[in-house]
Amino acid sequence: MSVTTAFTANEGRTYSSAPAPGFRLGSSGLVALSWLVPVLLLITWEVLARYGWIEPHLLPAPSKVALTAYKLTVSGTLLHDLAVSLLRAAIGFAIGGGIGFALGTLVGFSRIAEAVIDRSVQMVRAIPFLAVLPLVIVWLGVGEGQKIFLVALGVAFPIYVNTTLGIRQVDPKLIELGRVQGLSTWELITRIILPGALPSILTGVRFSLATAWLALVVAETIGAQAGLGFLALDAREFLRTDVIVLTVIIYALIGVVADSLARLLERRLLQWHPNYGAVR
Amino acid sequence: MTVQPRASAFQNNAVVVSHLRRAYGTRTVIDHLNLVIGQGEFVVLLGESGCGKTTLLRALAGLDPVQGGTIEVPGRPAVVFQEHRLLPWETLWRNVTLGLHVPDARARAADALGEVGLGDRLDDWPRNLSGGQAQRVALARALVQAPKLLLLDEPFAALDALTRLRMHGLVKDLVARHQPGVLLVTHDVDEALRLGNRILVMRHGVIAAEHRLRPDHDSAGVRAELLRELGVTSSH
Ligand SMILES: Nc1ncnc2c1ncn2[C@@H]1O[C@H](COP(=O)(O)OP(=O)(O)OP(=O)(O)O)[C@@H](O)[C@H]1O
Ligand SMILES: [Mg+2]
């Protein structure tokens, strides 16, 4: 106590956990503050639209968009189109992810496979994958094939690159340990190399979710008979900006949900990892 | 009537090395090295840095190819490295039973971890362990394989002095119980004196000196000799 007093007297400071003088916010206060601007913007938007400062057919009021969302949900249109879009994304993701993972594993393990495959893949990867869209339309038309192909293309590369990288980065000392313990090749792969590569692979998954989504948005704006993109396209014909804004918001929401799911997956699968797992 | 000296030399030995030659490219590191370690025998290998101790141990572990001579080991030797080399993505009991193909793996892991004082940490992750604890798990992983030959390459070098002393006691007990032949590489002369039945000094790729320690050996005398052989002049 006397030490503290001496300190305080000499240095003019106290080393206690009490808040320093001045304005202090707790963490919940900061969260609330971070929401303040978006909410204010939303209110401003609503007010401007209500009082006709913004043309309603250019940008409808948020309340109008919400109402549209409600109506379309009740009629079942929205859910149907959402399901169609999600299915496309899922199929494209499975195909592209599968191919990326298979090739990445092959190249990660074998120098020969690397020599055969890697250069070509890297060359194709240099092309922004959306640039091949016109070509894809010529090949596959504007049906489901074109959309799934584009998603798969966008997904395959991040998964490929990160799988290869992950496998290469596995600690050689651990692989050596596997040999000392007499592991079979299969055990070596499943118990040491793939788990060691998993953090990198999951990073690839998160990247590829973003590209998958982008690919879908672009692919769906061209000749779709159903899906979120079709909903937006159809709305454009009738100048239904409320529907267009709604689809944009839904695209955003699904992007956020997909990212959270990927993070959740990381936390589950990497609970052993110091950077992810909670301390027990 | 064909005599098979190899098979007979094998009988009660953990390892028999004859005329071993090991080279990296054109540089020979081990040349015509002979070594026999008996079952239950604790052999400590000393030698200045870079003389080829790790090279020998890796050859015995079957990790590197050799360029001449023979190494005979009954079964697969177990190795404990300077680093624990636990798989961070496996729980402790899964780490301990890595490569062990038995139906009661978990029970065996529980026994082995119990022996090193970590019987209550079966489902814990390696990242929650201290350095000494992790090295104890590595020891459990080696012993659960019931090896005839146990190879230890400076396993205590990264530990603090107090933990190291405790590990000495533990290793001594475990070796006495399981009776593998042991080859321990270390830089610590006192560690060698405390643990070994026999101390070898390696120089220029061969065994240059050998001390068999009887229980009543004169520690100070052997110590002085070892230091001299290692090129350290003990002035005090
Ligand atoms: N992979 C390698 N390639 C080429 N030379 C090597 C390799 N590993 C070891 N050497 C050489 O072989 C010699 C013996 O090395 P080794 O690691 O066996 O020494 P050591 O006795 O274990 O030394 P320390 O006590 O420092 O661990 C050294 O001269 C080293 O430079
Ligand atoms: Mg060494």
Side-chain angles (χ1 to χ4, degrees):
Chain A
M1 195 59 212
S2 60
V3 176
T4 317
T5 323
F7 239 115
T8 319
N10 292 339
E11 310 268 325
R13 283 202 229 169
T14 54
Y15 292 88
S16 68
S17 60
F23 192 63
R24 271 286 176 97
L25 272 176
S27 64
S28 56
L30 285 173
V31 170
L33 187 64
S34 73
W35 280 104
L36 188 65
V37 175
V39 169
L40 276 180
L41 281 175
L42 207 65
I43 292 173
T44 316
W45 175 10
E46 178 75 35
V47 169
L48 290 180
R50 280 273 174 96
Y51 291 93
W53 283 310
I54 304 177
E55 287 285 340
H57 61 269
L58 290 185
L59 192 62
S63 55
K64 177 90 167 42
V65 175
L67 190 67
T68 309
Y70 174 73
K71 280 184 189 157
L72 286 177
T73 308
V74 169
S75 73
T77 325
L78 187 61
L79 289 183
H80 173 247
D81 284 319
L82 187 64
V84 168
S85 285
L86 286 178
L87 189 65
R88 281 177 191 145
I91 295 174
F93 191 89
I95 294 174
I99 292 173
F101 180 72
L103 287 182
T105 308
L106 209 61
V107 168
F109 279 113
S110 149
R111 293 280 161 187
I112 295 175
E114 183 185 13
V116 174
I117 299 171
D118 192 54
R119 189 177 302 283
S120 326
V121 175
Q122 296 298 342
M123 277 158 67
V124 177
R125 198 166 79 92
I127 306 167
F129 72 97
L130 293 178
V132 299
L133 182 57
L135 202 56
V136 175
I137 291 173
V138 173
W139 291 342
L140 300 173
V142 291
E144 290 302 293
Q146 162 245 353
K147 293 167 184 62
I148 289 168
F149 182 93
L150 211 63
V151 172
L153 195 67
V155 166
F157 292 110
I159 302 255
Y160 168 85
V161 169
N162 285 285
T163 301
T164 308
L165 197 72
I167 290 173
R168 288 282 157 76
Q169 281 173 345
V170 174
D171 186 355
K173 286 183 170 173
L174 293 184
I175 297 174
E176 192 175 271
L177 172 85
R179 289 209 286 141
V180 164
Q181 300 292 115
L183 297 193
S184 66
T185 307
W186 175 248
E187 284 177 308
L188 207 59
I189 292 173
T190 53
R191 290 196 66 179
I192 297 190
I193 297 175
L194 287 183
L198 197 59
S200 179
I201 295 174
L202 287 178
T203 303
V205 167
R206 248 174 66 199
F207 269 113
S208 65
L209 278 175
T211 38
W213 210 226
L214 179 66
L216 194 71
V217 171
V218 173
E220 283 195 337
T221 47
I222 294 157
Q225 272 72 53
L228 287 174
F230 165 75
L231 198 63
L233 214 62
D234 197 44
R236 197 183 63 190
E237 300 287 312
F238 302 98
L239 294 179
R240 288 287 305 273
T241 39
D242 52 337
V243 178
I244 297 177
V245 170
L246 179 62
T247 55
V248 170
I249 290 172
I250 291 174
Y251 274 133
L253 284 181
I254 293 177
V256 170
V257 169
D259 198 60
S260 326
L261 282 180
R263 278 168 198 274
L264 194 71
L265 196 68
E266 273 181 349
R267 272 205 299 280
R268 283 303 298 270
L269 292 178
L270 304 180
Q271 50 171 315
W272 53 268
H273 200 291
N275 293 354
Y276 298 94
V279 181
R280 298 207 302 169
Chain B
M1 206 193 83
T2 47
V3 184
Q4 289 189 306
R6 284 182 187 181
S8 60
F10 210 47
Q11 288 301 306
N12 280 310
N13 288 323
V15 63
V16 179
V17 181
S18 42
H19 301 290
L20 179 71
R21 201 176 86 80
R22 174 81 180 96
Y24 293 105
T26 55
R27 213 159 60 84
T28 302
V29 175
I30 294 177
D31 206 5
H32 287 283
L33 182 140
N34 297 301
L35 172 67
V36 177
I37 297 178
Q39 204 107 97
E41 191 182 16
F42 202 128
V43 177
V44 183
L45 185 61
L46 292 169
E48 63 175 20
S49 182
C51 72
K53 303 183 297 296
T54 296
T55 304
L56 172 62
L57 189 127
R58 289 179 57 86
L60 299 193
L63 285 171
D64 295 332
V66 298
Q67 282 70 43
T70 55
I71 298 171
E72 289 165 73
V73 181
R76 196 176 59 236
V79 187
V80 178
F81 300 93
Q82 184 170 341
E83 329 81 40
H84 55 74
R85 299 202 189 184
L86 297 180
L87 303 180
W89 46 84
E90 304 259 25
T91 53
L92 296 193
W93 83 266
R94 296 266 297 166
N95 260 291
V96 167
T97 55
L98 186 71
L100 191 71
H101 302 109
V102 294
D104 59 338
R106 192 179 156 94
R108 298 263 197 113
D111 288 347
L113 281 169
E115 277 192 315
V116 298
L118 291 167
D120 55 341
R121 306 286 292 267
L122 259 69
D123 298 308
D124 210 344
W125 299 104
R127 71 184 151 106
N128 297 338
L129 298 181
S130 71
Q133 290 171 334
Q135 206 57 305
R136 268 144 64 191
V137 177
L139 203 57
R141 178 180 60 194
L143 287 172
V144 84
Q145 307 260 347
K148 291 260 179 11
L149 176 64
L150 177 63
L151 302 167
L152 309 167
D153 193 358
E154 306 190 37
F156 317 126
L159 305 178
D160 67 274
L162 211 61
T163 309
R164 195 179 310 156
L165 285 181
R166 293 220 179 86
M167 288 292 278
H168 289 164
L170 179 66
V171 166
K172 211 165 177 163
D173 286 352
L174 288 174
V175 167
R177 194 171 323 148
H178 295 272
Q179 289 287 307
V182 182
L183 182 66
L184 166 72
V185 170
T186 180
H187 284 284
D188 184 342
V189 172
D190 295 313
E191 182 172 295
L193 286 166
R194 195 168 305 130
L195 292 179
N197 307 131
R198 184 150 61 106
I199 301 177
L200 308 175
V201 178
M202 193 172 181
R203 203 183 305 139
H204 305 309
V206 292
I207 307 297
E210 178 169 351
H211 300 265
R212 277 177 197 281
L213 302 181
R214 287 192 312 278
D216 59 336
H217 71 268
D218 162 28
S219 262
V222 180
R223 188 171 191 281
E225 254 182 273
L226 284 171
L227 288 176
R228 193 168 37 72
E229 283 155 5
L230 289 165
V232 186
T233 45
S234 55
S235 54
H236 43 244

